[in-house]
Amino acid sequence: MSMIYQTESKAQGWRAMAKFEDGREALLLLGRSSTQVRQGYIESFSDLLDEEEREQIISISLQRWHGAPDAGNWEHQTTLKVPVMVA
């Protein structure tokens, strides 16, 4: 009997990481393309972080996975605009 493993045809190779004033980081969004992450990170920013957390974000990094799926690292590609939430 053989096992069949379901894997995605394309890896989630891009992410948006928010950096707090104190140096902590939070994953905002993981996606298949830079376009997908750019289009979705603002919604994730407002959905995942509360008002106090949003005020402490100093930067958002768009990062790309570099290397094999099980042996690589995230590389900074560009800095995304920190959204300003209007009450």
Side-chain angles (χ1 to χ4, degrees), residues 23-71:
R24 291 178 299 131
E25 292 186 312
L27 174 65
L28 293 179
L29 186 63
L30 190 62
R32 291 188 175 128
S33 68
S34 62
T35 302
Q36 184 183 37
V37 173
R38 286 174 187 271
Q39 290 174 345
Y41 87 95
I42 294 172
E43 183 177 352
S44 293
F45 180 86
S46 67
D47 289 350
L48 297 174
L49 304 174
D50 64 29
E51 184 178 346
E52 185 178 330
E53 290 171 324
R54 290 192 295 263
E55 291 172 356
Q56 295 174 28
I57 300 298
I58 58 170
S59 67
I60 299 175
S61 174
L62 177 66
Q63 300 175 353
R64 180 179 62 90
W65 183 256
H66 179 73
D70 61 345

Side-chain angles (χ1 to χ4, degrees), residues 1-37:
M1 179 183 208
S2 65
M3 296 292 288
I4 297 174
Y5 294 96
Q6 293 291 80
T7 59
E8 294 188 48
S9 59
K10 189 165 187 225
Q12 303 288 312
W14 292 84
R15 71 180 184 177
M17 290 294 291
K19 184 166 189 160
F20 290 89
E21 295 168 335
D22 64 6
R24 291 178 299 131
E25 292 186 312
L27 174 65
L28 293 179
L29 186 63
L30 190 62
R32 291 188 175 128
S33 68
S34 62
T35 302
Q36 184 183 37
V37 173

